[in-house]
Amino acid sequence: MNRGYALLAVTGSGARGKYQHGWSDLDVFVVADASSLDGIRQVLAELEAELGGVKLGITVLTRAECRAGAVTSRLLHVLALIGSGALVPLWSAPGMALPAPDAATDIDVSLRDGIQAAIEIRRQLLKGAPDLRGLYKVTALLAKIQLRFSGIECPSDGDALTVLLDAKRQDTSAVTTARTERPAAKALATLVLQSWLDTLPGEKR
């Protein structure tokens, strides 16, 4: 690795060996100096022809941002996974150490993602033809966050949705069909959204 780079990790479905071409993003997390951006941009340009349609998502943070906690809730979760050993970087500089948020902090910060996901689900449902992939992904995110509040980590979208619906004694058949059928995706999103709303004080159907 060139000077200025501190850590490289694959996150999400790629890290779990669950990447699905055409559906998943290949998420890469990099800790590097701001001066490394030109070099990263050049590498990405050279790789573009070899990606073969892979949707690559690169997130770059500096060491200072990591140490200060100047990160989004999703990236704080990544730091928690790396700190606990649940996610092993592909490469890190000798002596490289990142802050390791504890589970309580991770759960507390996840609340913000849950709020945003619940809002986004309704935005999608209000569309005449919601984006199928976008609706499924945000529905799965809201399911994962609800499970995390119960102490259950379920990184897979499908697994998280199935576990949540099982716990609520709901039919899980829509978990599979929601990837390809809009009515099933909308029905699934409505169930998961209502599960979230039921946790709020004073919420009534």
Side-chain angles (χ1 to χ4, degrees):
M1 280 284 179
N2 293 333
R3 187 177 178 180
Y5 295 89
L7 180 139
L8 172 67
V10 173
T11 65
S13 58
R16 302 190 306 274
K18 301 289 186 179
Y19 176 84
Q20 297 179 46
H21 187 71
W23 180 268
S24 304
D25 294 333
L26 182 59
D27 296 312
V28 178
F29 175 56
V30 180
V31 179
D33 296 342
S35 59
S36 301
L37 287 179
D38 284 342
I40 295 172
R41 187 184 303 112
Q42 182 178 346
V43 169
L44 292 177
E46 292 170 355
L47 287 175
E48 187 173 1
E50 301 177 27
L51 289 175
V54 171
K55 291 176 282 190
L56 192 63
I58 302 286
T59 298
V60 182
L61 289 177
T62 65
R63 296 190 201 210
E65 286 172 309
C66 293
R67 286 194 296 264
V71 300
T72 64
S73 51
R74 183 183 70 82
L75 292 174
L76 185 138
H77 183 59
V78 170
L79 293 177
L81 291 175
I82 293 174
S84 68
L87 176 62
V88 179
L90 295 178
W91 177 88
S92 62
M96 174 62 181
L98 290 174
D102 58 25
T105 300
D106 191 15
I107 291 170
D108 183 59
V109 173
S110 292
L111 177 61
R112 286 177 285 176
D113 278 343
I115 293 168
Q116 185 57 48
I119 291 170
E120 181 58 29
I121 284 174
R122 277 170 285 202
R123 286 176 176 163
Q124 288 285 346
L125 291 176
L126 286 171
K127 296 178 180 179
D131 174 70
L132 199 56
R133 182 177 179 274
L135 180 57
Y136 187 91
K137 287 286 187 181
V138 74
T139 300
L141 174 60
L142 189 56
K144 292 176 187 180
I145 290 168
Q146 291 181 70
L147 292 173
R148 190 174 297 160
F149 292 158
S150 301
I152 301 171
E153 276 299 327
C154 213
S156 164
D157 289 350
D159 289 349
L161 289 163
T162 299
V163 170
L164 181 68
L165 293 186
D166 268 340
K168 303 295 181 180
R169 296 193 172 99
Q170 298 283 354
D171 182 12
T172 62
S173 61
V175 173
T176 300
T177 54
R179 286 175 173 263
T180 56
E181 299 176 13
R182 193 166 279 113
K186 293 167 72 173
L188 181 63
T190 300
L191 283 174
V192 173
L193 175 61
Q194 188 59 55
S195 175
W196 167 265
L197 295 175
D198 286 343
T199 67
L200 304 179
E203 177 65 22
K204 295 182 180 179
R205 290 176 181 266

